[in-house]
Amino acid sequence: MNLTNEHIDRIAKGDLKSFREMYENMFHSLCLYGYKMIPNEDVVADIVQEAFIAVWNKREEFNSLVGTKSYLYTVVRNNILSHIRDLRTVSIENHPAKDEEADMEFNSQILKEESYKLVRDAVKNLPDQTRKIISLTLNGCSNQEIADELGISVNSVKTLKKAGYAKLREKLQKHVFALLFITDILHS
């Protein structure tokens, strides 16, 4: 499911169904983002849930999907940094240069997570056999390994992979960063 500004409008009016859709759509990406800062799944999940509570409490202030996503990522980031600071494992105040680095890393992580989600959603919508081939490719399998796994010829793998890439490019053409992500993965 792709979120739209209409979801945000409905959430602003108190629509719990739209809020649940946003939660289910973004929870995983926000957790992945948080895990990169602290490797504690329980703490990150709690922080992400708190971010969604903050959105719900301020729901009438949001009027765009981009603004809402930005707010969620910022709240998660700030709450994780506060958690780290509270544990005194890192002293952010003593390293002002780290703030600028952290901001650049923050933007980079958001871009990666959003790109990953776009690609994952596009792959989910591919035909079954093509989806399996693309997923196995993204997991680093060779054409021969994919052919062996699925019980098909290497030429079938190549043909379906080519068709899958074409469909992904078509679906993701509006999302340049996702295309760059796919290209980077495929050529690495």
Side-chain angles (χ1 to χ4, degrees), residues 18-171:
S18 293
F19 184 75
R20 181 179 311 264
E21 289 172 356
M22 180 179 69
Y23 178 89
E24 290 171 355
N25 189 280
M26 294 189 63
F27 182 81
H28 181 71
S29 293
L30 287 165
C31 285
L32 286 175
Y33 170 69
Y35 297 149
K36 293 182 190 229
M37 289 187 270
I38 54 173
N40 186 324
E41 291 182 23
D42 293 333
V43 170
V44 171
D46 287 345
I47 287 171
V48 170
Q49 288 176 354
E50 288 172 11
F52 277 103
I53 291 169
V55 166
W56 180 256
N57 289 337
K58 295 182 172 197
R59 65 187 174 274
E60 294 170 351
E61 296 177 25
F62 297 103
N63 57 13
S64 75
L65 179 60
V66 172
T68 306
K69 283 184 174 184
S70 176
Y71 179 81
L72 280 165
Y73 278 101
T74 301
V75 168
V76 169
R77 174 183 175 253
N78 290 343
N79 287 351
I80 286 174
L81 292 175
S82 293
H83 177 77
I84 292 170
R85 197 175 302 124
D86 291 346
L87 293 176
R88 304 214 187 274
T89 58
V90 174
S91 177
I92 293 170
E93 292 82 16
N94 294 336
H95 303 293
K98 295 277 185 188
D99 288 342
E100 194 172 305
E101 291 173 19
D103 285 344
M104 289 181 3
E105 179 65 21
F106 172 67
N107 292 335
S108 175
Q109 287 300 322
I110 289 175
L111 184 59
K112 285 178 186 176
E113 296 303 330
E114 289 296 313
S115 297
Y116 177 74
K117 183 171 180 352
L118 286 169
V119 171
R120 189 180 67 223
D121 289 347
V123 169
K124 280 182 188 176
N125 291 320
L126 291 172
D128 189 49
Q129 191 78 323
T130 304
R131 182 181 67 247
K132 289 177 186 174
I133 290 170
I134 297 297
S135 295
L136 289 168
T137 300
L138 292 174
N139 287 329
C141 294
S142 69
N143 288 345
Q144 185 62 54
E145 291 170 329
I146 295 169
D148 293 344
E149 172 83 18
L150 300 177
I152 60 176
S153 72
V154 173
N155 284 335
S156 294
V157 170
K158 290 178 182 178
T159 302
L160 289 170
K161 188 187 287 188
K162 184 177 178 180
Y165 290 157
K167 287 180 183 181
L168 288 175
R169 275 191 294 275
E170 180 183 321
K171 287 181 182 183

